[in-house]
Each structure stands twice: as C-alpha cells, then as structure tokens.
Amino acid sequence: MGLLSKNCTQQASSLLGFSVFLLLFCPFSAFSYDGPLYDYTAYTECKGVPEQPLYNGGILKDEAPVFKPVVIDDASIIYTTPAFILHNLTPAIYCFSIWVKIQGAESSLVTASLTTDNATYNCVGTVLARSGCWSFLKGGFILDSPSFLSILYFQNSANKDIEITIASASLQPFTYHQWRINQQYIVNTVRKRAVTIHVSDKHGNKLKGAAITIEQISKDFPIGSAIAKTILGNLPYQNWFVERFNAAVFENELKWYATEPDQGKLNYSISDQMLEFIRANQIVARGHNIFWEDPKYNPAWVRNLSAHRADPLATLFMNEFNVVETCSDANSTVDTYISRLRDLELGGIFMDGIGLESHFSEPNLPLMRGILDKLATLGLPIWLTEVDISSKFDHQTQAIYLEQVLREGFSHPAVNGIILWTALHPNGCYQMCLTDNNLKNLPAGDVVDKLLQEWKTGEQNGQTDDHGSYSFYGYLGEYRISVAYGNRTANSTFSLCRSDETKHFNIQL
C-alpha cells in the first residue's frame, strides 16, 4: 500500500498494526511507499481458535502443508511432521508466523527449521506449544542467495512421536531496502517528534524573519556501554566515553561478590569512584546482576534474600542470554522467558522490565524482531543490555553485524535502551572492542560513532515564516534555542518527549 502525505505530523493509528504507512523524513516533504508494511502483531496466550494469518498468508497463501518423514536415532522410529515446500525463493528477509497445536504431550517446544539448496537453518522460530489450544510462533530467516527448492518444517524437542497441527501460516518477504524503510518509519514516529516554534513580540504580534538556532544538548534514548575499574584515572578513556554515551553499566564492580562477598563486610570503594565519575558527567548508571539463576555465581548468604526488601524502589529486570540472539537454545526461548516471568508472578515476585543480553553471532533480524514482538505484548520496558558480536568474526564483520543489531534495536518501538558490552581492558574486551588500547576506533567503533551522529538532531538554523513559526523534526531529548530579531535576542531550552502530537513552543522577544 502506498500513501502520499501532505501533512507530516500525521501518525499511524497503531504502532502494533499499521493501517497506514507514512515516512516522515522532514516536515515539508511527501513520500510514497508501495512495499509490504511490517506487522508487529504477536500473541503469547494459548487460544481456542487461531487468529487469521499475518499478511494474509504472504507467499504461503492457499499453500497446503505436506508431511515430511522424521527419523529418530537409529531409524527405529519414523514419524511425520508438517512442512511447506517452497519454490524459487529469492534473496530477501523473510518473516514467518504460524499457529501450532500438539497432541501426545501436555506441552512441547516446537521448532521451525529450513533447508535450502545449499544451507540448513536449524531454527528459524520456536513456540512452546500445548495440547488443546493454539500457540503463536513468530520468526524468520534471511536468504543471501536464490533457492530453487526449500523445505520449511516443524519438529518437537521431546524427540518422540508428538502430533503437530498447524494453521494460519504466513511467509512474507522484504527486500533489504523495504526492511530499512520500515525501520526508518519507527525511528521517525517513535524516536522523533514534530516541533513548531512560535516567535512573537511582547504584544503577541507574530514576527516573520526571526533567526532561529536550535541545538540538541541531550538525548532521551539511553545508549551506553559497560565500563570497568580500568576507566578510573584514565582521563583519555573517560573523555572518549563521555563524548559518546549517556548510559553505563559496571561490568563486575557492583555485583555482590565484588562488594559484599561475606555478609556485612562491605567494600564499595571502587564502585563509588566509578559512580562519582558517572554522576559528574550526567550519565545514567544502570545496575547489573543481583541474583544469578545458577547459585554458584551468588554468595551463599544472598541466596534466600529478596532484592525488594532491601530497596522497594528498585526497578527489577530479568536478564537472560540467547533469548533474542538465537532460537537454538531450548533453555532460553522467548516462551521459556515468558514462562519464568509468569512463574515468578505466581510466587508474588513481579519484574519491572525485560533485559536481553544480546551476545550475537550472525544476527537473524526477522527472528530478532519477531521475538521482540512477542515480548512487547507483556507491556514491560525492554533493554538490550550486553550487546556485542562474537570474536570469532574479524573486525569488519563484527562491525557489519553490530550495525544490523543496533538498527534493529533502536527501530523497535518496545525497546527502551541499549547497552554495549565493550568495557576496555589492557588485554582487550569480552568479545568486541570499539577501540584499540590507544582509543583509536576499530570498525565497530566507527559504526557506533556513525549511528550516534545519525540518531541526533543536527543543528537547526532558519527563519520564522509568515506566521512567525519555524518547524522541524527532532529526536527526543533536551534542546537549546536561540532567537534573534533585529537587536532583540532570547535564549531558552525545551524538552521533547514521546507524543503523537506536535510540540509547540512559544518565545517572546
């Protein structure tokens, strides 16, 4: 569907199910788009009847599944599972969804897999399916080369004969260009806002031709990195960090085994120095792990405590790895994560946010987005808390994959912050560094600098129109404004927070 707009302040009626599509590159331009619109719809509850397929089924519309034989172990057991035969797939980003029900077990993890002419994708989506109701699987895959014959099929993790029933299947391709346009739409409607400055004299008369300069002085969206005690006393590293980031997390220095390995024996000397540096530069400090699921990582005295008893105002996140990075880890699927949240709630423990560590190898963008969509249905803030790319890749490949992950995170409407896991040590970083030890950018550092510049409103210079007004689109955050008219000047500041409405700001000279 395409739409030409003359009013760039118009917003989509819903971010989680577009009825119109509108790109807002600047307040006075029109733009049309005739490609597919990404559908953020997702479900986490098990339903008596499956919903209709997304994208009206996409390229699976009217396609009936076949049944693929599956061999277990030594071929003593053979059963069949539903599959789709796909012909002539072109290079693209493919978004996939389907409803799944099982028989033969109360519940089972069902995995969608894909084979092509020259590759096998062991997992392109999972769902914790149940007997007697329908569960929603959402994921996808990327093809970099054409495939004459592909098979999309479903298996259960129990490795036994469980009957899998499917319904409302959908497979929708996006070109890379279409994917970026859909990303940019969210950036323009969620991360930015329309602003109109009105300039008048003290009698309320509109002033045409007043010179305006607008500068963004801080960003609303937190983007930061882990730091360690290595930043203390290192002024060049501190300056480098402050010039870029508005958020930080301590790698290990605030964990219990660092500050209070034995109950009552406190040592906050290092963490206090780090906090002093952070606060002095108006950087948000995000807490890190309080409790580990594996008891061996917690001091023995901590294991029976509640965090909320010590600090009822603490914002508690459940932080997990391999939820958004992949679906191949059966212990960390999106549905497993949601089940843990709900189990905690049954015990009277409520989380305030979702933390996704985001230690990526090669990112699967449609899978990442589909998982974020399902988590977004919970209505909790989502942070990517430890973003990096595996060191098994060279620096240039790390940079390419990092840019993909950061763009995907920043352009998802449910993501509220991004933290990189790139604390600098003399011997390097955990998996990925942004600079060398001389603070010279590596390719990943160049990507971060490029995106930080892109996601900031450049200095605005102009004049008021016949109505005494000046309009622009700006990233959310704090702004400084200067206005001059003849020999009169005025300076002020204003905040730009998320809203569908245009921000109006009045200045009198």
Side-chain angles (χ1 to χ4, degrees):
M1 181 175 79
L3 178 67
L4 273 176
S5 173
K6 296 180 180 179
N7 179 4
C8 287
T9 65
Q10 183 181 353
Q11 304 289 315
S13 61
S14 171
L15 291 174
L16 300 180
F18 300 143
S19 59
V20 296
F21 190 86
L22 179 62
L23 283 175
L24 310 176
F25 286 111
C26 73
F28 309 106
S29 67
F31 193 89
S32 63
Y33 173 70
D34 294 318
L37 316 179
Y38 182 80
D39 192 331
Y40 287 85
T41 302
Y43 306 90
T44 54
E45 67 273 25
C46 204
K47 295 199 170 192
V49 178
E51 299 287 341
Q52 292 298 307
L54 304 185
Y55 312 104
N56 198 28
I59 62 176
L60 289 182
K61 183 180 180 181
D62 301 325
E63 285 287 328
V66 299
F67 290 89
K68 179 180 183 295
V70 176
V71 177
I72 296 179
D73 298 332
D74 58 358
S76 59
I77 301 176
I78 298 178
Y79 66 94
T80 60
T81 188
F84 290 98
I85 307 300
L86 308 172
H87 297 281
N88 301 320
L89 294 183
T90 58
I93 297 173
Y94 289 85
C95 292
F96 172 69
S97 63
I98 199 166
W99 288 85
V100 180
K101 182 170 66 173
I102 61 168
Q103 288 184 344
E106 182 178 344
S107 65
S108 179
L109 184 68
V110 174
T111 299
S113 303
L114 177 76
T115 60
T116 68
D117 295 337
N118 50 24
T120 297
Y121 301 78
N122 292 322
C123 187
V124 297
T126 62
V127 68
L128 191 59
R130 291 167 52 189
S131 176
C133 60
W134 295 89
S135 302
F136 185 67
L137 182 156
K138 195 174 193 184
F141 54 90
I142 301 175
L143 289 187
D144 293 321
S145 58
S147 175
F148 174 72
L149 178 64
S150 302
I151 303 175
L152 181 62
Y153 59 98
F154 310 88
Q155 291 178 284
N156 71 82
S157 61
N159 214 25
K160 61 182 181 181
D161 190 1
I162 292 177
E163 182 181 340
I164 299 173
T165 306
I166 58 176
S168 298
S170 173
L171 185 63
Q172 177 63 51
F174 291 80
T175 67
Y176 287 93
H177 179 64
Q178 291 168 342
W179 195 258
R180 283 292 298 275
I181 288 177
N182 275 271
Q183 286 179 330
Q184 191 61 44
Y185 171 78
I186 296 298
V187 170
N188 286 335
T189 54
V190 175
R191 308 300 179 204
K192 301 173 79 172
R193 185 176 172 186
V195 184
T196 297
I197 308 297
H198 304 278
V199 182
S200 63
D201 63 20
K202 293 182 179 179
H203 302 290
N205 299 311
K206 302 171 183 177
L207 297 180
K208 175 184 177 181
I212 290 184
T213 299
I214 300 169
E215 176 189 8
Q216 186 175 12
I217 55 178
S218 70
K219 300 177 182 179
D220 182 66
F221 189 88
I223 299 180
S225 174
I227 56 174
K229 62 183 178 181
T230 53
I231 203 168
L232 296 176
N234 189 335
L235 186 58
Y237 184 16
Q238 293 179 4
N239 291 337
W240 178 90
F241 191 92
V242 170
E243 287 172 0
R244 287 161 173 80
F245 300 124
N246 61 356
V249 66
F250 299 173
E251 200 171 40
N252 295 305
E253 288 79 2
L254 273 177
K255 294 175 182 174
W256 246 315
Y257 59 69
T259 61
E260 194 177 358
D262 299 309
Q263 189 170 15
K265 296 181 180 179
L266 305 176
N267 184 356
Y268 283 89
S269 57
I270 296 297
S271 54
D272 281 346
Q273 293 178 63
M274 295 172 69
L275 278 171
E276 184 179 351
F277 157 67
I278 290 298
R279 288 169 176 165
N281 291 282
Q282 298 181 311
I283 293 172
V284 174
R286 188 178 189 278
H288 198 44
N289 288 56
I290 300 174
F291 296 102
W292 293 85
E293 184 178 34
D294 190 333
K296 72 180 181 181
Y297 294 111
N298 300 309
W301 66 271
V302 168
R303 296 172 192 170
N304 295 318
L305 295 181
S306 166
H308 266 184
R309 288 181 185 171
D311 184 1
L313 298 180
T315 301
L316 296 182
F317 279 67
M318 191 167 80
N319 204 51
E320 184 61 286
F321 69 98
N322 277 355
V323 176
V324 75
E325 300 95 319
T326 178
C327 62
S328 297
D329 186 345
N331 295 317
S332 293
T333 68
V334 60
D335 292 314
T336 303
Y337 186 102
I338 292 170
S339 294
R340 287 174 180 165
L341 279 177
R342 290 175 173 163
D343 287 343
L344 288 171
E345 290 176 0
L346 290 174
I349 301 172
F350 294 87
M351 293 292 106
D352 305 304
I354 293 169
L356 304 171
E357 291 189 12
S358 307
H359 295 291
F360 281 88
S361 290
E362 183 176 359
N364 179 344
L365 300 183
L367 175 66
M368 177 182 178
R369 188 178 291 186
I371 289 169
L372 289 172
D373 292 348
K374 290 192 76 171
L375 292 171
T377 64
L378 302 178
L380 295 174
I382 299 174
W383 281 57
L384 308 184
T385 59
E386 304 181 21
V387 177
D388 63 12
I389 305 298
S390 171
S391 59
K392 71 181 181 181
F393 301 111
D394 60 59
H395 287 163
Q396 194 60 49
T397 303
Q398 280 185 322
I400 293 170
Y401 291 161
L402 177 65
E403 180 169 356
Q404 293 176 357
V405 170
L406 293 179
R407 287 192 182 278
E408 197 58 47
F410 188 72
S411 66
H412 197 284
V415 173
N416 284 22
I418 298 175
I419 300 288
L420 297 157
W421 202 249
T422 52
L424 187 61
H425 297 271
N427 59 346
C429 307
Y430 174 69
Q431 290 286 334
M432 180 189 74
C433 284
L434 301 181
T435 73
D436 61 19
N437 283 343
N438 295 317
L439 299 176
K440 180 180 179 182
N441 266 10
L442 297 171
D446 288 337
V447 163
V448 170
D449 283 353
K450 178 183 72 172
L451 293 179
L452 289 175
Q453 187 65 28
E454 179 181 327
W455 296 335
K456 178 181 180 180
T457 306
E459 184 176 289
Q460 302 288 306
N461 293 283
Q463 292 186 335
T464 54
D465 59 17
D466 291 342
H467 305 285
S469 300
Y470 176 82
S471 298
F472 73 101
Y473 264 85
Y475 284 95
L476 306 183
E478 299 290 322
Y479 285 80
R480 181 186 296 120
I481 179 170
S482 299
V483 181
Y485 186 81
N487 60 356
R488 290 173 284 174
T489 61
N491 299 295
S492 188
T493 60
F494 64 89
S495 298
L496 203 57
C497 57
R498 184 185 293 190
S499 175
D500 291 344
E501 297 181 356
T502 298
K503 168 81 171 184
H504 293 275
F505 189 74
N506 298 302
I507 290 185
Q508 285 189 339
L509 292 176

